């Protein structure tokens, strides 16, 4: 074995350990999907405040379709499920804390994504785990405040009072406990108005939940003018919420139907025309690859994984940049900078690795503006949507809400800084598609056709593409997306097609997250 191969082998083992640790850590981290469901539930609750008498007839008609028969019952179920999940995570975190007190073994990571353990020292691990337990308890209290309001809106007064009593008796936050007392007083018999009730409601409740509590408060305070202003404001917000629901529901639905039609067409076309079908276009044409497997190994281990897992994090560590405690705008800049460093490093290693083979055959890294790449990219996006949705539904059942998610998604969901969101959008919709498609579809997939068939190369490159995102719950959906990206590239033979598909996919995800995040106010 040469020195080069020995070094690559050692680096590969180190990368496998680091990547495996990251995937293992994501195993017990919650997916973002459960939070997205709550955000969408809040949007539904806001929209159901729409008064048909004062609304546009078209909006009133659309509301019946979008909201369903019993939005309050559906919302209650969602919040009960979220409460149960949080209590399960709390029990696990408390068990880990107890084990830490009895054992000197390293602490596992807590299940809460709110406070993941990353410090090497045991004392720091314990402090982070204790902080996580506290934050999960606070989350349960917040859920219970909202659950109680859902219950009173369905005339379940006694269950609501018991729900709020849990918040009062387990105060993780004095303000939340005080809000529980305020809500209890508002719906008690006889009612009791506590000091600072309005300020507490506005501080600890938002959206539809805040509106219901304030309406009850104004009713008891006999403030008809304030109640009328609240109702007018809620009517405006309900119309906005309905429009947002229409966007995040109808556009994916239409796109999915188009995609399903394309999949049916491709299947029929393949069955009737065989190797002359669109499905088989360029399907068996491999690239002329002048380098061997060792170059591919070198590029991905040194250029992608070493840069992403060790070198780039080390650079920011030396510079003492800690994005976790910074503002969302700083975190957005950090994410972009990390990606640009990674891209520059990987492309540099790629260039140095294949420099001696230049000039390459014309089929390599092919970009042609005057071709039908736009139709391939758009059609691929439409076809990918129903496939990934089906796999994601199965994936949720497999992982039961765990498995982690891309941390960028949480930042976009919670951040309302427009500059930060613009930076996130550029990173996900421009930088990521350009770099990842250049590396995975432009270099890896064609290189693999030296040893495998085109379809085998598509599957292998799609698997590595999914693994590279270091989130277990996203491996299956991202692999399906990677297969579609590979199919589009091998058929179009134009890198612009998968780049467009990838950009549309990331853009659609970010727009949906932004809409859901903006509905929380």
């Amino acid at each position: 074995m040469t020195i080069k191969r020995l070094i690559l082998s050692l680096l590969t083992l180190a990368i496998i350990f680091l990547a495996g640790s990251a995937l293992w850590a994501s195993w017990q981290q919650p997916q973002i999907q459960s939070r997205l469901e709550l955000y969408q539930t809040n949007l539904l609750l806001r929209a159901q405040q729409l008064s048909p008498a004062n609304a546009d007839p078209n909006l009133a008609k659309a509301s019946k379709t979008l909201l369903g028969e019993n939005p309050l019952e559906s919302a209650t179920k969602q919040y009960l499920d979220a409460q149960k999940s949080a209590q399960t995570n709390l029990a696990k975190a408390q068990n880990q804390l107890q084990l830490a007190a009895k054992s000197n073994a390293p602490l596992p990571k807590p299940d809460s994504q709110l406070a993941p353990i990353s410090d090497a020292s045991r004392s720091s691990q314990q402090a982070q785990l204790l902080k996580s337990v506290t934050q999960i308890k606070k989350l349960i209290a917040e859920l219970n405040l909202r659950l109680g309001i859902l219950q009173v809106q369905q005339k379940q007064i006694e269950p609501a009072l018991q729900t709020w009593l849990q918040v009062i008796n387990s105060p993780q936050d004095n303000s939340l406990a005080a809000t529980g007392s305020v809500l209890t007083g508002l719906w008690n018999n006889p009612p009791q108005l506590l000091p600072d009730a309005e300020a507490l409601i506005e501080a600890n409740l938002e959206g539809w939940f805040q509106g219901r509590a304030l309406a009850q408060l104004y009713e008891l305070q006999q403030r008809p003018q304030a109640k009328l202003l609240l109702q007018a404001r809620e009517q405006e917000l309900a119309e906005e919420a309905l429009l947002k629901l229409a966007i995040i529901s109808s556009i994916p639905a239409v796109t999915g139907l188009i995609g399903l039609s394309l999949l049916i067409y491709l299947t029929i076309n393949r069955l009737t025309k065989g190797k002359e079908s669109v499905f088989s276009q360029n399907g068996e044409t491999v690239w002329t690859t002048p380098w061997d497997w060792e170059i591919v190994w070198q590029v991905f281990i040194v250029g992608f994984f070493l840069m992403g897992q060790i070198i780039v994090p080390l650079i920011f560590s030396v510079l003492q940049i800690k994005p976790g405690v910074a503002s969302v705008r700083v975190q957005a800049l950090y994410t972009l900078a990390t990606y640009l460093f990674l891209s520059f490093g990987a492309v540099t290693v790629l260039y140095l690795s294949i420099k001696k083979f230049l000039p390459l055959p014309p089929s390599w890294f092919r970009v042609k503006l005057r071709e039908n790449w736009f139709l391939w990219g758009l059609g691929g996006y439409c076809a990918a949507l129903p496939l990934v949705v089906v796999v994601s539904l199965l994936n949720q059942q497999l992982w039961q809400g765990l498995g982690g998610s891309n941390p960028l998604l949480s930042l976009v969901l919670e951040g309302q800084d427009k500059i930060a969101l613009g930076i996130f959008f550029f990173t996900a919709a421009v930088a990521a598609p350009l770099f990842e498609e250049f590396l995975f579809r432009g270099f890896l997939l064609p290189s693999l056709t030296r040893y495998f068939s085109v379809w085998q190369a598509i599957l292998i490159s799609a698997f590595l593409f999914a693994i590279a995102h270091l989130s277990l719950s996203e491996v299956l959906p991202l692999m399906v997306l990677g297969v579609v990206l590979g199919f589009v590239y091998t058929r179009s033979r134009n890198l612009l097609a998968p780049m467009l598909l990838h950009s549309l996919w990331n853009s659609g995800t970010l727009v949906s997250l932004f809409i859901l995040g903006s509905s929380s106010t």
Side-chain angles (χ1 to χ4, degrees), residues 46 201 205-216 230 234:
R46 174 69 86 185
I201 289 171
L205 293 170
E206 53 190 26
W208 177 86
F209 299 94
Q210 183 186 102
R212 305 288 52 74
L214 288 176
Q216 180 72 0
L230 176 65
E234 287 193 317

Side-chain angles (χ1 to χ4, degrees), residues 40-76:
Q40 188 160 352
T41 295
N42 295 345
L43 198 59
L44 283 166
L45 290 170
R46 174 69 86 185
Q48 64 103 29
Q49 286 298 112
L50 186 72
S51 171
N54 300 324
D56 181 278
N58 293 325
L59 280 177
K61 185 177 180 181
S63 68
K64 294 181 180 179
T65 304
L66 292 171
L67 300 180
E69 293 295 327
N70 298 299
L72 288 178
E73 288 184 15
S74 300
T76 302

Side-chain angles (χ1 to χ4, degrees), residues 28 89-101 107-111 117 129:
Q28 291 300 318
N89 286 341
L90 176 62
K92 290 180 180 179
Q94 288 175 327
N95 184 53
Q96 290 166 1
L97 198 57
Q98 290 175 356
L99 289 175
L107 286 172
K109 288 178 178 284
D111 290 341
I117 293 179
L129 187 54

Side-chain angles (χ1 to χ4, degrees), residues 305-348:
F305 287 104
L306 182 64
M307 286 293 297
Q309 293 295 303
I310 298 177
I311 295 178
V312 173
L314 187 61
I315 291 172
F316 285 107
S317 177
V318 170
L319 295 174
Q320 296 186 339
I321 297 175
K322 299 178 181 180
V325 296
S327 67
V328 66
R329 191 176 299 183
V330 172
Q331 292 183 66
L333 288 170
Y334 173 83
T335 302
L336 176 59
T338 300
Y339 216 91
L340 293 178
F341 270 107
L342 173 61
S343 302
F344 176 77
V347 172
T348 300

Side-chain angles (χ1 to χ4, degrees), residues 68-91:
E69 293 295 327
N70 298 299
L72 288 178
E73 288 184 15
S74 300
T76 302
K77 183 179 182 303
Q78 288 286 350
Y79 270 87
L80 285 170
D81 289 343
Q83 181 197 58
K84 181 179 178 181
S85 176
Q87 288 172 339
T88 300
N89 286 341
L90 176 62

Side-chain angles (χ1 to χ4, degrees), residues 390-404:
V390 170
V391 171
S392 297
L393 292 174
L394 296 174
N395 200 53
Q396 277 186 269
Q397 297 301 314
L398 174 65
W399 292 105
Q400 294 294 309
L402 298 177

Side-chain angles (χ1 to χ4, degrees), residues 18-182:
L18 291 172
S21 299
L23 288 168
W24 179 261
S26 73
W27 186 10
Q28 291 300 318
Q29 295 295 315
Q31 296 180 34
I32 196 174
Q33 186 61 36
S34 56
R35 294 172 63 197
L36 292 180
E37 290 171 355
L38 283 186
Y39 273 80
Q40 188 160 352
T41 295
N42 295 345
L43 198 59
L44 283 166
L45 290 170
R46 174 69 86 185
Q48 64 103 29
Q49 286 298 112
L50 186 72
S51 171
N54 300 324
D56 181 278
N58 293 325
L59 280 177
K61 185 177 180 181
S63 68
K64 294 181 180 179
T65 304
L66 292 171
L67 300 180
E69 293 295 327
N70 298 299
L72 288 178
E73 288 184 15
S74 300
T76 302
K77 183 179 182 303
Q78 288 286 350
Y79 270 87
L80 285 170
D81 289 343
Q83 181 197 58
K84 181 179 178 181
S85 176
Q87 288 172 339
T88 300
N89 286 341
L90 176 62
K92 290 180 180 179
Q94 288 175 327
N95 184 53
Q96 290 166 1
L97 198 57
Q98 290 175 356
L99 289 175
K102 299 177 182 178
S103 170
N104 291 321
L107 286 172
K109 288 178 178 284
D111 290 341
S112 172
Q113 65 181 5
L114 297 174
I117 293 179
S118 57
D119 297 57
S121 68
R122 183 171 184 80
S123 59
S124 179
Q125 284 182 318
Q126 289 177 335
Q128 289 283 6
L129 187 54
L130 184 60
K131 180 180 178 182
S132 180
V133 168
T134 302
Q135 290 179 321
I136 298 173
K137 287 182 177 180
K138 182 179 178 181
L139 172 62
I140 292 173
E142 291 171 345
L143 291 172
N144 281 336
L145 288 179
R146 299 181 180 194
L147 183 58
I149 293 175
L150 283 166
Q151 290 169 330
V152 295
Q153 293 302 307
Q154 299 171 81
K155 310 302 181 185
Q156 300 170 9
I157 306 300
E158 284 304 317
L161 296 178
Q162 291 300 314
T163 300
W164 290 326
L165 186 60
Q166 295 177 41
V167 181
I168 298 169
N169 291 339
S170 303
Q172 296 303 310
D173 182 300
N174 290 335
S175 183
L176 291 177
T179 306
S181 298
V182 166

